[in-house]
Amino acid sequence: MSTDRHYAREFVRTFFTSPTAVQGEDDSAKMLRSAAQLRGMQAPDVWVPDNEDATAPSMREEGIENIIEVVAEHGADFPGEIHPRVVWHREDPATRYQGFQQMLRVARSDTGAIEHIDGFVIPEVGDVDDWKKADEFFTIVEEECGLAVGSLSMSVIVESGEAELAMGDLRTEMGKPSNNLERLFLLVDGEVDYTKDMRAMTPTGELPPWPELRHNTSRGASAAGLIAVDGPYDDIRDVAGYRERMEDNRAKGMTGIWSLTPGQVVEANKAPLPPESGRWLLEVGGEEVALDADGDEQVYDGDEVGLDVVGDGEYALRVGGDERVLDEDELEERLLDMTAYVPSLDDIVDSMEEFEAAKEAGRGAIAMTQATTLVIDGVSVDVSKDRMWDEATYQAAQTPITLFQDVYEHRPDQHEDLEETYGADVVERATTVGN
Amino acid sequence: MSTDRHYAREFVRTFFTSPTAVQGEDDSAKMLRSAAQLRGMQAPDVWVPDNEDATAPSMREEGIENIIEVVAEHGADFPGEIHPRVVWHREDPATRYQGFQQMLRVARSDTGAIEHIDGFVIPEVGDVDDWKKADEFFTIVEEECGLAVGSLSMSVIVESGEAELAMGDLRTEMGKPSNNLERLFLLVDGEVDYTKDMRAMTPTGELPPWPELRHNTSRGASAAGLIAVDGPYDDIRDVAGYRERMEDNRAKGMTGIWSLTPGQVVEANKAPLPPESGRWLLEVGGEEVALDADGDEQVYDGDEVGLDVVGDGEYALRVGGDERVLDEDELEERLLDMTAYVPSLDDIVDSMEEFEAAKEAGRGAIAMTQATTLVIDGVSVDVSKDRMWDEATYQAAQTPITLFQDVYEHRPDQHEDLEETYGADVVERATTVGN
Amino acid sequence: MSTDRHYAREFVRTFFTSPTAVQGEDDSAKMLRSAAQLRGMQAPDVWVPDNEDATAPSMREEGIENIIEVVAEHGADFPGEIHPRVVWHREDPATRYQGFQQMLRVARSDTGAIEHIDGFVIPEVGDVDDWKKADEFFTIVEEECGLAVGSLSMSVIVESGEAELAMGDLRTEMGKPSNNLERLFLLVDGEVDYTKDMRAMTPTGELPPWPELRHNTSRGASAAGLIAVDGPYDDIRDVAGYRERMEDNRAKGMTGIWSLTPGQVVEANKAPLPPESGRWLLEVGGEEVALDADGDEQVYDGDEVGLDVVGDGEYALRVGGDERVLDEDELEERLLDMTAYVPSLDDIVDSMEEFEAAKEAGRGAIAMTQATTLVIDGVSVDVSKDRMWDEATYQAAQTPITLFQDVYEHRPDQHEDLEETYGADVVERATTVGN
């Protein structure tokens, strides 16, 4: 048996929550209504009418009515999936019963809202036995409302140590005949409550980075055929920080992230797509500095790195406060270690096509070379990076392309944006390569 | 069922070991006797008369006698809890039997020492089945000595891969009727032996940082309602390093740490308490530099960051060797990403009170703003950080306050120190907020 | 029961793969033949004729023939162990059947190749139940070929989330009477396929560092008495990067690494051995800079750190852009935090001998002091690092010596290299200390 995915999307970039009912507005469903009409890069892959933390407890009854009404009206045209969040708590049966009732009300309403709803999001889950309780309520809701078993998918927010541990058991639990956990879809980290549950503290009150939690979420998703999504990034004005976080997440296999505003949705929809043009980087003191392309040369004009010719084939390379005299081979080796190339979408498609051609010609492995001329303090040095590509390398490199194709297939509302960014030709080649 | 804690303290900051018997002294119990009389910030939350590694094997018989005598004499007045460490090894039944006998001798002695002993510490545990063997010996000791089942708590030192794995099973094992593992209290990492068990090596012989072990310990503690404590920091003169380690631990939810000297106890008792005054930080090249407060301005006077006005609303910001020309919005965004504020105890209490007032007024989420004026190379830039506070944020921010209140409740001997540091007024407000 | 190892080597430094059959060569076994004749530092601890990814699918039938022939001819003289890799896939029974047949063919051949083969490597494993399928095939192969049960050891490549999770269960699974998993030997990470399986992406296409995977592999190996090996380092010209990776691995308890070329084998065989001479380091901005030894002084001549005498016992210490005025004690504390000493093999042997003498004299713990004079900007500062050594410290420090002794015992072909590097006297003392 392969690790199958039981849902349409292979990737989810964006998980966008909207309050279901806001007090003090003429129309308490105002935010829900505007979110439902987002399109293109502003529209998320998964939209979450949030009847839990984003909505005041006193407004949650009205929130359910708003979901029923707004999803019925706009759901058919919404370009992403719709997964309302209901209330739940591993330590509180009353809350769990409310969550069950909220799902039931949405499913039973005669507006037809449920036809546009892909699933529900369950927060604050605990042990896997707690996940099964939620799953059983989904099953009852489906039965009560004449829906096929498993037609509603279930996503969970991981915000406790026990839920983190539960992700290690999902793969073995999901096959058991006494549950319908195959309905699972997203594993979403909720770092605010997780931080509280772990009783962690930072001097500034910022959330800890929780790299191990994110790894375990991504691994749990991979092992069980689910999709991993990172939690909210509170500092909504810090776009650079949001991007860094997403880059770090992708290196862990976590492609999706929570978005709190349409602006964050735009950033998060674009971030995992390869850039439109390639660039060279120089790593200096732990930070990566983009070099300035000047024709075929890449020019470094910072102060942290210095380079001098000090003799015949002798160079003095200074990195921060550390200066060493190197011969040409040593210099190239050192600079090789410090440089990296970020390929564009076009570059990736090129490399894949090149490997496919080599494979057809009977070669199982070829060397891909990236070469350029670095210029530091006026001194030019040629560097050339080789990487062996075999079938496995090819398949790993394919991930951004598979993502691109998944986006292209499921989000026609973003075609125009993609073509504007990359050009119609590159988009065309990217959607066909590897198939 | 909630994840309950079966003991009095919610937090343990300090785990201080003393040799139980030192050869060549007139009084072999000298160190035990002086430790028993520590008070205030020098006294640990948990004191561990250490009849294992800190005491030579040949002195351990005498060590038990010393524990019996010194704890009987000073135990009633000791301000923290008392948890002697006995010998144990997952791979050696003879050592386990000795550990059992050591506990039995302490419990049976007619000096009444056991009345002041809160539990025992078991080192070198292995699989959870090994933990159960120790637990069974506790149960027998309690039965033999007429103590209620579970009245002695059990703490373990995690210093093997199998013990690390066992922490993932505790939550399910603790409820079983055939054990009394509810007596568990502290999960303490022992990195020296763990490093040996993992056969890890570093060029300098320093211990590896083991971030994953500390995460797994903290998570195991969180999931099972226990308290996580980090292992010894050997370089006792390196106070800055000890503080950094504790800050890193707290970001993982591990609040406690081993202390080898009363000086380390003072540092570790103080470290998790919020500072008496707030401060701004600038992050430069991976390091955080404290800014100098000058009235409402925060002045940076290092060389790593430079700022110039280069045109109308155009700025040149240099960070390390990387200079960029930015407009005002870009500049603010970049600096926002680089700055952070460390709130004082007073600030935290203020914010909590503000959120409580907002909640009472019916608002579920408010923006908390931290604003200041940065001065770099004489150029002033206003920066303002917003963070949305909802109930979950509030509760996460509450952790240092809960810690403070736990310390205040259980450590009257530290009241004077706290009032000297923070002022009686702030201490008074901090002990009542959130209740 | 102790965590026993069921094989001869305690450590494996190098895991060197060779294609079993290369198309277009006169002799398709050419690479296999040359690898089989490597000796000394160029010969790996474990040699892997690779009938999986390194060999084109169309050449794998011929590859098995080549293994049978080349191992029969050269196996008796090869100085390391020989573990061919066969095909396998957790999601494909046809591939698993091929792997079984490949092992059977090698074992059944009448050339006697199997006598020189220590085990087989199984790639692409999944859950522990999948590992058991492979184990069962080993058992059948042994039975069919008249080999004792368990005489062929089994190593696996961990390249999926489910295999990573399986490593947490090995310890409990290995004892069960219905399998022969005691034959397990190496846990080898395969980061290329793991990255694909986790669907991770990096801007440059380089592999993510996967620290948690490597920790979990090392921990799984430690708990089950196995040996952890890191995956291939693709950029074969980046020697500095390869060394950094190995240093990082050793801090995780992962001593071995994959090698793709004899040059990488040399690097990886040498890397875990202590250096021939000690050196002092200064940590500046997250990077460690080696100091220049000048007699008893250690001179720093970079620009990142500056030191001035600014008054009587007052110093201005600048680190990067951050300058502080410190008194002598503060200065020493700060510099202590910034310096480290890398002991040579000779130093380690000295320290161990010193501790052994102290122990014989009845002392359980002694302070080991490392002292030097730092010179920064012409200002001399004495620093002295103390570390308490007890039995546990001694044992942890022993790991590089145990490794050295393991190499010395099993690799006579490397004796000459070791004596050239360290001198015969140090080698002699290093092979006897601690026994």
Side-chain angles (χ1 to χ4, degrees), chain C residues 234-304:
Chain C
D234 281 1
D235 194 346
I236 55 178
R237 287 161 54 182
D238 178 12
V239 177
Y242 192 51
R243 286 184 190 151
E244 271 171 41
R245 175 62 169 230
M246 290 189 281
E247 184 176 322
D248 193 49
N249 285 343
R250 288 194 299 278
K252 292 173 165 294
M254 178 179 261
T255 309
I257 194 165
W258 201 303
S259 298
L260 294 166
T261 64
Q264 282 195 334
V265 171
V266 172
E267 289 299 328
N269 273 338
K270 287 183 176 171
L273 303 173
E276 59 273 33
S277 51
R279 63 183 192 281
W280 284 88
L281 305 174
L282 193 66
E283 190 184 295
V284 184
E287 273 197 69
E288 286 184 331
V289 180
L291 297 172
D292 298 324
D294 179 9
D296 288 342
E297 297 185 335
Q298 302 291 329
V299 181
Y300 174 77
D301 67 355
D303 300 332
E304 290 287 296

Side-chain angles (χ1 to χ4, degrees), chain B residues 125-398:
Chain B
V125 289
D127 302 302
V128 75
D129 280 355
D130 185 58
W131 304 35
K132 290 177 188 170
K133 297 172 193 170
D135 164 52
E136 170 66 356
F137 289 154
F138 277 75
T139 305
I140 290 174
V141 166
E142 286 163 343
E143 176 68 21
E144 280 287 299
C145 302
L147 299 167
V149 170
S151 57
L152 292 173
S153 74
M154 172 172 149
S155 300
V156 298
I157 317 286
V158 173
E159 38 199 337
S160 64
E162 47 263 47
E164 185 186 350
L165 286 165
M167 293 190 293
D169 298 324
L170 284 185
R171 187 175 161 83
T172 43
E173 292 291 342
M174 277 172 71
K176 292 186 178 168
S178 49
N179 67 55
N180 294 301
L181 284 175
E182 293 90 342
R183 69 169 79 253
L184 279 168
F185 175 39
L186 305 177
L187 301 177
V188 185
D189 284 342
E191 280 95 350
V192 175
D193 275 339
Y194 181 82
T195 298
K196 177 188 68 174
D197 191 69
M198 294 284 278
R199 309 194 305 175
M201 296 182 277
T202 59
T204 58
E206 288 178 299
L207 294 172
W210 298 119
E212 296 89 359
L213 168 67
R214 288 181 284 144
H215 175 75
N216 292 338
T217 303
S218 185
R219 179 185 63 179
S222 176
L226 308 176
I227 293 177
V229 174
D230 193 19
Y233 192 84
D234 281 2
D235 193 346
I236 55 180
R237 287 161 55 182
D238 177 12
V239 177
Y242 193 51
R243 285 184 190 150
E244 270 172 40
R245 175 62 169 231
M246 290 189 282
E247 185 175 320
D248 193 48
N249 285 343
R250 288 194 299 278
K252 292 173 165 296
M254 178 179 262
T255 310
I257 194 167
W258 201 303
S259 297
L260 294 167
T261 64
Q264 282 195 334
V265 173
V266 172
E267 288 299 326
N269 274 337
K270 287 182 176 171
L273 302 173
E276 57 272 34
S277 50
R279 65 184 190 281
W280 284 87
L281 305 175
L282 193 66
E283 189 183 296
V284 183
E287 271 196 70
E288 286 185 329
V289 181
L291 297 172
D292 297 324
D294 179 9
D296 288 343
E297 297 184 334
Q298 301 291 329
V299 181
Y300 173 76
D301 66 357
D303 299 332
E304 290 287 297
V305 178
L307 183 60
D308 274 314
V309 182
V310 293
D312 190 20
E314 295 260 289
Y315 300 83
L317 178 69
R318 183 181 53 77
V319 179
D322 179 39
E323 184 168 293
R324 296 183 204 181
V325 174
L326 305 169
D327 66 26
E328 198 154 340
D329 285 353
E330 291 166 339
L331 178 66
E332 196 191 322
E333 185 193 315
R334 183 86 174 94
L335 288 177
L336 200 56
D337 193 30
M338 291 171 65
T339 50
Y341 180 70
V342 178
S344 64
L345 177 60
D346 197 17
D347 290 327
I348 297 173
V349 173
D350 275 352
S351 296
M352 287 180 63
E353 290 175 349
E354 196 179 324
F355 180 77
E356 286 172 2
K359 196 164 60 170
E360 240 170 75
R363 284 185 295 157
I366 58 171
M368 297 285 182
T369 303
Q370 291 161 340
T372 195
T373 302
L374 289 183
V375 182
I376 301 173
D377 292 347
V379 181
S380 297
V381 187
D382 292 334
V383 294
S384 158
K385 286 182 113 64
D386 276 344
R387 196 177 170 205
M388 287 307 299
W389 273 52
D390 61 13
E391 186 63 29
T393 329
Y394 170 79
Q395 287 179 26
Q398 202 171 1

